[in-house]
Amino acid sequence: MKPQRILITGSAGRLGRAAVQELVACGHSVLGFDLRPTPGLAEFIVGNLQDTDALNRAAVGVDVLIHLAATPDDARFPRGLPPDDGDNFLSELVPNNIVGGYHVLEAARNNGVKKVLLASTGQVVDGYLDAGRMPVLASWPTHPRYLYASTKVFLEALGSAYAHAHGMKVIAVRLGWCPRDAGQVAQIAASPEDQDVFLSPGDAGRFFACAVEADSARLPPFAALFVTSLPLRNLLYDLTLTRELVGFVPQDSWPTGAES
Ligand SMILES: NC(=O)c1ccc[n+]([C@@H]2O[C@H](COP(=O)([O-])OP(=O)(O)OC[C@H]3O[C@@H](n4cnc5c(N)ncnc54)[C@H](O)[C@@H]3O)[C@@H](O)[C@H]2O)c1
């Protein structure tokens, strides 16, 4: 396909670096946007999601916007019940994950961006896994347990609203666990269930390339897709819709790429 102009927020983070690496290798033109410089990328902006002028300038001429910048979930499990579940809801999650997501969708709308990928999480359906109901289908209603996941449910809803109102294609990407540091690698190593939601950086990068290159004419206005590597034991998330809509099939399984 013709090279796409892609803006990635959170480009310096774990998943951002995986997306940058694969999309640049595929020949696309990638612009990073992050609080810190993006390693290995020629073109990036050091900026904050709250700076709407900077975001709007970054989105000029963009074909696909991949929104990854957020306050991620770094709480250790098991954790308490909301509101004491380890997330700083009012000071971090609301301004960064909810207001920040709104600014990103506004920048996409203002600049006529045709396709937007929003980083959601498999945690939006944790309630089913707790109840032993698996594999979870992408079509089931969300069932979050924690405040972080609730901000991603709101982001999905915002994406759906913008898709239907403004004619852009929006995919909420319900990501599995791509560990950010050695501590998270150790947590997954100790938990067979977590190994089944593992997402390798290589599979993450390949998913973003598939989603960027998927024919927009064949996509619904809004879709929520699960993305994990191949489970070792139990299939927790049904990946059928992910394969059907964007053609992504995972290649790795735990622990491939966990340390990279
Ligand atoms: N890694 C996972 O296992 C996982 C799983 C599910 C969902 N997610 C989601 O995927 C996305 C990326 O996660 P990650 O693991 O790469 O996290 P990360 O912390 O490694 O990267 C996030 C990046 O976003 C940047 N950022 C944060 N706030 C920003 C702001 N206001 N303005 C500009 N940049 C900002 C940070 O500097 C960082 O580089 C997040 O939305 C996260 O919630 C991650």
Side-chain angles (χ1 to χ4, degrees):
M1 80 174 315
K2 162 175 158 292
Q4 301 286 289
R5 176 67 170 166
I6 302 165
L7 171 62
I8 304 182
T9 72
S11 48
R14 184 68 206 93
L15 286 161
R17 295 193 310 274
V20 163
Q21 188 178 334
E22 183 69 20
L23 291 165
V24 168
C26 291
H28 298 294
S29 159
V30 179
L31 171 63
F33 187 102
D34 200 297
L35 293 170
R36 49 198 172 121
T38 301
L41 188 58
E43 215 186 337
F44 60 80
I45 293 167
V46 174
N48 192 315
L49 294 178
Q50 309 301 331
D51 181 350
T52 53
D53 289 342
L55 256 187
N56 272 291
R57 282 195 301 275
V60 172
V62 163
D63 298 306
V64 184
L65 197 164
I66 301 178
H67 174 46
L68 304 176
T71 298
D73 171 33
D74 277 328
R76 289 190 73 86
F77 286 83
R79 57 193 197 180
L81 299 175
D84 301 315
D85 65 1
D87 291 326
N88 206 335
F89 187 67
L90 289 177
S91 66
E92 288 189 32
L93 293 180
V94 170
N96 219 19
N97 297 9
I98 293 184
V99 181
Y102 166 75
H103 289 325
V104 165
L105 282 159
E106 272 294 282
R109 180 181 70 86
N110 289 333
N111 288 282
V113 177
K114 297 274 186 288
K115 192 190 281 183
V116 178
L117 311 180
L118 300 172
S120 181
T121 170
Q123 288 190 43
V124 297
V125 297
D126 262 357
Y128 298 114
L129 301 185
D130 269 4
R133 291 182 59 191
M134 56 198 73
V136 181
L137 302 189
S139 57
W140 291 3
T142 52
H143 196 339
R145 285 183 306 173
Y146 301 115
L147 297 180
Y148 160 79
S150 303
T151 68
K152 296 296 188 177
V153 171
F154 183 85
L155 183 67
E156 291 192 2
L158 205 56
S160 175
Y162 269 68
H164 289 95
H166 301 299
M168 54 179 83
K169 300 293 172 110
V170 178
I171 299 176
V173 189
R174 294 176 176 174
L175 296 149
W177 193 354
C178 186
R180 279 181 286 281
D181 54 38
Q184 293 194 352
V185 171
Q187 274 182 268
I188 300 175
S191 161
E193 185 180 286
D194 289 337
Q195 292 165 18
D196 285 341
V197 300
F198 173 65
L199 173 62
S200 75
D203 276 336
R206 284 185 286 275
F207 167 80
F208 285 114
C210 285
V212 162
E213 295 176 4
D215 180 1
S216 286
R218 294 189 54 241
L219 294 174
F222 173 82
L225 302 179
F226 291 115
V227 180
T228 64
S229 289
L230 295 164
L232 292 179
R233 297 168 189 80
N234 299 309
L235 183 66
L236 304 186
Y237 307 124
D238 183 273
L239 302 178
T240 308
L241 192 63
T242 314
R243 187 185 66 241
E244 286 176 357
L245 284 187
V246 305
F248 170 73
V249 177
Q251 297 177 19
D252 297 335
S253 54
W254 168 261
T256 308
E259 307 282 357
S260 60

